[in-house]
Amino acid sequence: MIGRSSFEKILSEYDEKRLKSAAELEARKTMIEKNRHPQSGRPVIAFGQSDSADVQILYFGAGEATPQSHCQELRLRLASGATECFHVKLPGLFNAFNLTGCIALAHALNIDWSIIHEAVETFSGAPGRLQPVELPHGVRAFVDYAH
């Protein structure tokens, strides 16, 4: 999930002229056009852990970040074969899937990678939803009003 202000920033900075190469454009077009919804005929972008996904989660877990940051590394493989690595603040594999879906959509919309990275890596979640709280003696707790 990307916060409203980050998402609005992404949309406001959207610019089709930021393509890096014709090969990247072709890979993106192939990704969008290869799968179509059976009833609507609209393009479908597959993401997840499957080898057949357009955007595949290669790794989600402890990254190179300092222990104080509690960041997770999210490494993705794109339809073009390129990989992208993100350091995310959100815990849980379900958040990795949510972020991967947002990243896949942003990539399909031709949003520049620097903007995608900034949005993903600065997003810390909604207040009160798996919000980490540091306690004495190195103990870490989570506030989660959603459940």
Side-chain angles (χ1 to χ4, degrees):
M1 294 175 45
I2 296 178
R4 181 181 173 120
S5 62
S6 295
F7 186 71
E8 288 172 350
K9 179 180 178 185
I10 287 172
L11 290 178
S12 70
E13 294 186 35
Y14 171 75
D15 180 4
E16 291 188 48
K17 298 176 186 172
R18 295 182 186 208
L19 285 177
K20 293 183 176 93
S21 69
E24 184 178 341
L25 173 60
E26 193 56 39
R28 189 172 293 128
K29 283 170 57 180
T30 301
M31 174 182 75
I32 293 170
E33 296 299 324
K34 84 173 190 179
N35 296 320
R36 296 242 171 220
H37 188 274
Q39 282 84 29
S40 71
R42 293 184 178 147
V44 174
I45 301 169
F47 64 93
Q49 294 177 307
S50 169
D51 290 339
S52 63
D54 298 306
V55 179
Q56 179 188 17
I57 299 173
L58 296 175
Y59 176 79
F60 180 68
E64 297 176 16
T66 63
Q68 293 81 14
S69 70
H70 301 289
C71 284
Q72 300 286 321
E73 181 179 315
L74 174 61
R75 195 175 321 127
L76 305 175
R77 182 204 42 83
L78 309 175
S80 65
T83 59
E84 290 288 332
C85 185
F86 299 85
H87 291 94
V88 299
K89 298 176 184 176
L90 302 176
L93 185 58
F94 68 96
N95 279 317
F97 276 92
N98 291 341
L99 287 169
T100 301
C102 294
I103 292 165
L105 176 60
H107 178 60
L109 290 173
N110 205 22
I111 295 171
D112 188 81
W113 280 111
S114 64
I115 296 170
I116 297 171
H117 274 274
E118 180 184 352
V120 170
E121 293 180 358
T122 59
F123 183 67
S124 58
R129 180 66 177 113
L130 281 176
Q131 182 177 356
V133 177
E134 303 299 328
L135 300 172
H137 310 293
V139 174
R140 190 170 195 224
F142 290 90
V143 174
D144 193 1
Y145 292 117
H147 295 268

